[in-house]
Amino acid sequence: MKVGVLALQGDFREHLALATQCGHEGISVRTVDELNAVDALILPGGESTTIIKLAQSFGLLEPIRERIGSGLPVYGSCAGMILLADRIEDGIVGQQTFGGIDMTVRRNAFGRQVDSFESDITFNGTQLHAIFIRAPWVEEVGDGVVVLSKAAGHPVAVRQGNLLATSFHPELTDDHAVHSYFFDEICKGR
Ligand code: GLN
């Protein structure tokens, strides 16, 4: 499978490495042609305000929205979760997202950079070690959204159809459970 990683800002290299380790071809996405070539897309962790502004200047905002709308499997970690949310709290004025998941996400919900932490959580029934860096959490979800993990009483991993989002960064650990779930449960057969 050709797995694109939006490579404008953030930890896209780690996601590219993980896609390769899972046996896929990792492709950096910075142009519409690159976007059109991929079978799945990952939105990395980083800074959601910067990524969305760069996506606008690179002419990728509407093309990514269109591909999400037509069923492309997309996984977003941390800033990527914010970018997949239909609604955000504590965004900057006018902050846009690609959207797609019927949820409200609160940016920096766990606190500031110094409040970053690691925690053992359950993801889809299995234990994993999760790294939270200025992470968002999910405030509320619509009916079509499945909650796969919770921390501090809030959803931190969710799925809606072909879209998957986590507040944490599995790309920074050796545990491939989240990426394998994305590739094997969501992308497979598409
Ligand atoms: N707080 C960042 C944002 O608002 C996300 C942090 C991260 O991706 N580690 O985009």
Side-chain angles (χ1 to χ4, degrees):
M1 202 163 58
K2 290 186 176 172
V3 176
V5 183
L6 187 62
L8 302 176
Q9 189 267 340
D11 67 348
F12 54 88
R13 290 176 195 84
E14 286 79 358
H15 281 289
L16 285 166
L18 236 147
T20 309
Q21 282 164 32
C22 290
H24 302 287
E25 185 185 345
I27 295 182
S28 302
V29 171
R30 296 190 185 87
T31 67
V32 174
D33 283 348
E34 286 161 350
L35 175 68
N36 288 338
V38 301
D39 306 306
L41 182 66
I42 295 176
L43 308 174
E47 177 48 54
S48 57
T49 55
T50 306
I51 295 174
I52 202 74
K53 280 183 198 154
L54 289 171
Q56 268 172 307
S57 4
F58 280 65
L60 285 168
L61 178 56
E62 287 308 327
I64 288 177
R65 283 182 176 158
E66 279 162 27
R67 286 220 67 190
I68 289 174
S70 57
L72 181 71
V74 183
Y75 164 45
S77 67
C78 202
M81 166 183 260
I82 297 166
L83 294 167
L84 282 175
D86 282 349
R87 298 168 296 280
I88 50 178
E89 298 276 358
D90 292 340
I92 60 167
V93 175
Q95 183 172 345
Q96 298 204 62
T97 66
F98 300 121
I101 301 185
D102 181 8
M103 64 177 173
T104 304
V105 163
R106 182 174 297 281
R107 284 181 69 224
N108 305 331
F110 291 98
R112 300 166 64 84
Q113 191 78 19
V114 288
D115 299 312
S116 298
F117 63 100
E118 302 188 18
S119 174
D120 290 320
I121 61 165
T122 304
F123 172 80
N124 192 36
T126 59
Q127 279 287 110
L128 61 77
H129 189 69
I131 300 178
F132 294 83
I133 304 170
R134 264 189 329 125
W137 70 37
V138 178
E139 288 283 346
E140 85 37 70
V141 294
D143 287 343
V145 178
V146 178
V147 174
L148 298 166
S149 303
K150 281 189 168 187
H154 288 270
V156 292
V158 295
R159 174 185 180 175
Q160 182 173 15
N162 294 322
L163 307 177
L164 174 69
T166 64
S167 303
F168 50 93
H169 292 270
E171 71 279 13
L172 301 181
T173 67
D174 293 331
D175 193 330
H176 296 178
V178 174
H179 287 75
S180 296
Y181 176 86
F182 178 59
F183 298 137
D184 300 341
E185 304 295 327
I186 298 186
C187 301
K188 197 164 71 182
R190 293 199 50 84

PDB file of all heavy atoms in Angstrom, residues 44-49 77-80 82 95 107-108 133-136 169, ligand 1:
ATOM      1  N   PRO A  44       0.552  13.969  10.819  1.00  0.00           N
ATOM      2  CA  PRO A  44       1.453  13.757  11.957  1.00  0.00           C
ATOM      3  C   PRO A  44       1.141  14.671  13.139  1.00  0.00           C
ATOM      4  O   PRO A  44       0.311  15.573  13.041  1.00  0.00           O
ATOM      5  CB  PRO A  44       2.817  14.120  11.361  1.00  0.00           C
ATOM      6  CG  PRO A  44       2.504  15.175  10.361  1.00  0.00           C
ATOM      7  CD  PRO A  44       1.169  14.783   9.769  1.00  0.00           C
ATOM      8  N   GLY A  45       1.880  14.423  14.233  1.00  0.00           N
ATOM      9  CA  GLY A  45       1.878  15.362  15.344  1.00  0.00           C
ATOM     10  C   GLY A  45       2.735  16.561  14.982  1.00  0.00           C
ATOM     11  O   GLY A  45       3.590  16.487  14.093  1.00  0.00           O
ATOM     12  N   GLY A  46       2.503  17.655  15.653  1.00  0.00           N
ATOM     13  CA  GLY A  46       3.231  18.888  15.358  1.00  0.00           C
ATOM     14  C   GLY A  46       2.428  20.040  15.898  1.00  0.00           C
ATOM     15  O   GLY A  46       1.984  20.004  17.043  1.00  0.00           O
ATOM     16  N   GLU A  47       2.199  21.021  15.086  1.00  0.00           N
ATOM     17  CA  GLU A  47       1.416  22.188  15.506  1.00  0.00           C
ATOM     18  C   GLU A  47       0.282  22.385  14.496  1.00  0.00           C
ATOM     19  O   GLU A  47       0.530  22.731  13.340  1.00  0.00           O
ATOM     20  CB  GLU A  47       2.346  23.414  15.597  1.00  0.00           C
ATOM     21  CG  GLU A  47       1.648  24.684  15.950  1.00  0.00           C
ATOM     22  CD  GLU A  47       0.705  24.555  17.146  1.00  0.00           C
ATOM     23  OE1 GLU A  47       1.142  24.092  18.213  1.00  0.00           O
ATOM     24  OE2 GLU A  47      -0.476  24.905  16.994  1.00  0.00           O
ATOM     25  N   SER A  48      -0.934  22.146  14.972  1.00  0.00           N
ATOM     26  CA  SER A  48      -2.085  22.133  14.053  1.00  0.00           C
ATOM     27  C   SER A  48      -2.280  23.480  13.355  1.00  0.00           C
ATOM     28  O   SER A  48      -2.670  23.524  12.185  1.00  0.00           O
ATOM     29  CB  SER A  48      -3.361  21.730  14.792  1.00  0.00           C
ATOM     30  OG  SER A  48      -3.609  22.602  15.874  1.00  0.00           O
ATOM     31  N   THR A  49      -1.998  24.582  14.068  1.00  0.00           N
ATOM     32  CA  THR A  49      -2.203  25.900  13.451  1.00  0.00           C
ATOM     33  C   THR A  49      -1.232  26.099  12.289  1.00  0.00           C
ATOM     34  O   THR A  49      -1.588  26.651  11.249  1.00  0.00           O
ATOM     35  CB  THR A  49      -2.000  27.017  14.497  1.00  0.00           C
ATOM     36  OG1 THR A  49      -0.710  26.860  15.098  1.00  0.00           O
ATOM     37  CG2 THR A  49      -3.057  26.960  15.577  1.00  0.00           C
ATOM     38  N   SER A  77      -2.428  11.765  14.359  1.00  0.00           N
ATOM     39  CA  SER A  77      -1.956  11.691  15.744  1.00  0.00           C
ATOM     40  C   SER A  77      -1.760  13.108  16.270  1.00  0.00           C
ATOM     41  O   SER A  77      -1.134  13.950  15.622  1.00  0.00           O
ATOM     42  CB  SER A  77      -0.660  10.873  15.859  1.00  0.00           C
ATOM     43  OG  SER A  77       0.434  11.498  15.236  1.00  0.00           O
ATOM     44  N   CYS A  78      -2.309  13.371  17.426  1.00  0.00           N
ATOM     45  CA  CYS A  78      -2.143  14.624  18.181  1.00  0.00           C
ATOM     46  C   CYS A  78      -2.575  15.846  17.360  1.00  0.00           C
ATOM     47  O   CYS A  78      -3.767  16.050  17.197  1.00  0.00           O
ATOM     48  CB  CYS A  78      -0.724  14.728  18.715  1.00  0.00           C
ATOM     49  SG  CYS A  78      -0.638  15.848  20.115  1.00  0.00           S
ATOM     50  N   ALA A  79      -1.671  16.638  16.817  1.00  0.00           N
ATOM     51  CA  ALA A  79      -2.108  17.728  15.935  1.00  0.00           C
ATOM     52  C   ALA A  79      -2.976  17.166  14.813  1.00  0.00           C
ATOM     53  O   ALA A  79      -3.951  17.794  14.390  1.00  0.00           O
ATOM     54  CB  ALA A  79      -0.902  18.461  15.353  1.00  0.00           C
ATOM     55  N   GLY A  80      -2.643  15.954  14.358  1.00  0.00           N
ATOM     56  CA  GLY A  80      -3.440  15.289  13.317  1.00  0.00           C
ATOM     57  C   GLY A  80      -4.862  15.010  13.764  1.00  0.00           C
ATOM     58  O   GLY A  80      -5.797  15.042  12.958  1.00  0.00           O
ATOM     59  N   ILE A  82      -6.511  16.931  15.876  1.00  0.00           N
ATOM     60  CA  ILE A  82      -7.168  18.242  15.817  1.00  0.00           C
ATOM     61  C   ILE A  82      -7.592  18.528  14.372  1.00  0.00           C
ATOM     62  O   ILE A  82      -8.698  19.010  14.115  1.00  0.00           O
ATOM     63  CB  ILE A  82      -6.208  19.340  16.347  1.00  0.00           C
ATOM     64  CG1 ILE A  82      -5.882  19.079  17.819  1.00  0.00           C
ATOM     65  CG2 ILE A  82      -6.802  20.733  16.153  1.00  0.00           C
ATOM     66  CD1 ILE A  82      -4.701  19.882  18.361  1.00  0.00           C
ATOM     67  N   GLN A  95      -9.297  29.255  13.409  1.00  0.00           N
ATOM     68  CA  GLN A  95      -8.522  28.054  13.060  1.00  0.00           C
ATOM     69  C   GLN A  95      -9.375  27.037  12.300  1.00  0.00           C
ATOM     70  O   GLN A  95     -10.434  26.626  12.759  1.00  0.00           O
ATOM     71  CB  GLN A  95      -7.939  27.394  14.326  1.00  0.00           C
ATOM     72  CG  GLN A  95      -7.056  26.184  13.995  1.00  0.00           C
ATOM     73  CD  GLN A  95      -6.317  25.632  15.209  1.00  0.00           C
ATOM     74  OE1 GLN A  95      -6.233  26.277  16.248  1.00  0.00           O
ATOM     75  NE2 GLN A  95      -5.773  24.427  15.081  1.00  0.00           N
ATOM     76  N   ARG A 107      -7.896  21.638  22.204  1.00  0.00           N
ATOM     77  CA  ARG A 107      -6.436  21.730  22.054  1.00  0.00           C
ATOM     78  C   ARG A 107      -5.778  21.909  23.413  1.00  0.00           C
ATOM     79  O   ARG A 107      -6.333  22.570  24.297  1.00  0.00           O
ATOM     80  CB  ARG A 107      -6.046  22.937  21.197  1.00  0.00           C
ATOM     81  CG  ARG A 107      -6.272  22.751  19.724  1.00  0.00           C
ATOM     82  CD  ARG A 107      -5.824  23.989  18.953  1.00  0.00           C
ATOM     83  NE  ARG A 107      -4.393  24.174  18.952  1.00  0.00           N
ATOM     84  CZ  ARG A 107      -3.782  25.338  19.155  1.00  0.00           C
ATOM     85  NH1 ARG A 107      -4.477  26.420  19.414  1.00  0.00           N
ATOM     86  NH2 ARG A 107      -2.468  25.410  19.118  1.00  0.00           N
ATOM     87  N   ASN A 108      -4.576  21.352  23.556  1.00  0.00           N
ATOM     88  CA  ASN A 108      -3.749  21.521  24.763  1.00  0.00           C
ATOM     89  C   ASN A 108      -4.540  21.207  26.035  1.00  0.00           C
ATOM     90  O   ASN A 108      -4.333  21.841  27.073  1.00  0.00           O
ATOM     91  CB  ASN A 108      -3.187  22.944  24.834  1.00  0.00           C
ATOM     92  CG  ASN A 108      -2.418  23.329  23.572  1.00  0.00           C
ATOM     93  OD1 ASN A 108      -1.840  22.462  22.909  1.00  0.00           O
ATOM     94  ND2 ASN A 108      -2.408  24.586  23.213  1.00  0.00           N
ATOM     95  N   ILE A 133       1.977  14.764  24.281  1.00  0.00           N
ATOM     96  CA  ILE A 133       2.777  15.993  24.240  1.00  0.00           C
ATOM     97  C   ILE A 133       1.858  17.162  23.899  1.00  0.00           C
ATOM     98  O   ILE A 133       1.359  17.242  22.775  1.00  0.00           O
ATOM     99  CB  ILE A 133       3.907  15.887  23.189  1.00  0.00           C
ATOM    100  CG1 ILE A 133       4.787  14.664  23.464  1.00  0.00           C
ATOM    101  CG2 ILE A 133       4.742  17.176  23.177  1.00  0.00           C
ATOM    102  CD1 ILE A 133       5.780  14.347  22.346  1.00  0.00           C
ATOM    103  N   ARG A 134       1.616  18.020  24.865  1.00  0.00           N
ATOM    104  CA  ARG A 134       0.647  19.121  24.654  1.00  0.00           C
ATOM    105  C   ARG A 134      -0.581  18.608  23.903  1.00  0.00           C
ATOM    106  O   ARG A 134      -0.999  19.144  22.891  1.00  0.00           O
ATOM    107  CB  ARG A 134       1.300  20.279  23.888  1.00  0.00           C
ATOM    108  CG  ARG A 134       1.815  21.350  24.825  1.00  0.00           C
ATOM    109  CD  ARG A 134       2.275  22.614  24.122  1.00  0.00           C
ATOM    110  NE  ARG A 134       2.811  22.401  22.814  1.00  0.00           N
ATOM    111  CZ  ARG A 134       2.372  23.022  21.716  1.00  0.00           C
ATOM    112  NH1 ARG A 134       1.385  23.882  21.779  1.00  0.00           N
ATOM    113  NH2 ARG A 134       2.938  22.787  20.560  1.00  0.00           N
ATOM    114  N   ALA A 135      -1.113  17.548  24.468  1.00  0.00           N
ATOM    115  CA  ALA A 135      -2.100  16.767  23.717  1.00  0.00           C
ATOM    116  C   ALA A 135      -3.512  17.331  23.847  1.00  0.00           C
ATOM    117  O   ALA A 135      -3.860  17.911  24.873  1.00  0.00           O
ATOM    118  CB  ALA A 135      -2.073  15.327  24.228  1.00  0.00           C
ATOM    119  N   PRO A 136      -4.304  17.113  22.815  1.00  0.00           N
ATOM    120  CA  PRO A 136      -5.734  17.418  22.905  1.00  0.00           C
ATOM    121  C   PRO A 136      -6.480  16.251  23.565  1.00  0.00           C
ATOM    122  O   PRO A 136      -5.923  15.160  23.703  1.00  0.00           O
ATOM    123  CB  PRO A 136      -6.142  17.527  21.438  1.00  0.00           C
ATOM    124  CG  PRO A 136      -5.229  16.565  20.732  1.00  0.00           C
ATOM    125  CD  PRO A 136      -3.936  16.554  21.507  1.00  0.00           C
ATOM    126  N   HIS A 169       1.069   9.791  20.638  1.00  0.00           N
ATOM    127  CA  HIS A 169       2.016   9.643  19.518  1.00  0.00           C
ATOM    128  C   HIS A 169       2.583   8.225  19.440  1.00  0.00           C
ATOM    129  O   HIS A 169       3.723   8.010  19.867  1.00  0.00           O
ATOM    130  CB  HIS A 169       3.206  10.588  19.741  1.00  0.00           C
ATOM    131  CG  HIS A 169       2.891  12.035  19.642  1.00  0.00           C
ATOM    132  ND1 HIS A 169       2.971  12.734  18.473  1.00  0.00           N
ATOM    133  CD2 HIS A 169       2.511  12.924  20.583  1.00  0.00           C
ATOM    134  CE1 HIS A 169       2.670  13.996  18.686  1.00  0.00           C
ATOM    135  NE2 HIS A 169       2.374  14.144  19.959  1.00  0.00           N
TER     136      HIS A 169
HETATM  137  N1  GLN B   1      -0.794  21.322  20.806  1.00  0.00           N
HETATM  138  C1  GLN B   1      -0.508  21.014  19.448  1.00  0.00           C
HETATM  139  C2  GLN B   1      -1.538  21.665  18.512  1.00  0.00           C
HETATM  140  O1  GLN B   1      -2.387  22.372  18.921  1.00  0.00           O
HETATM  141  C3  GLN B   1      -0.476  19.521  19.208  1.00  0.00           C
HETATM  142  C4  GLN B   1       0.720  18.931  19.895  1.00  0.00           C
HETATM  143  C5  GLN B   1       1.281  17.713  19.248  1.00  0.00           C
HETATM  144  O2  GLN B   1       0.980  17.349  18.094  1.00  0.00           O
HETATM  145  N2  GLN B   1       2.164  17.060  19.966  1.00  0.00           N
HETATM  146  O3  GLN B   1      -1.477  21.455  17.350  1.00  0.00           O
END
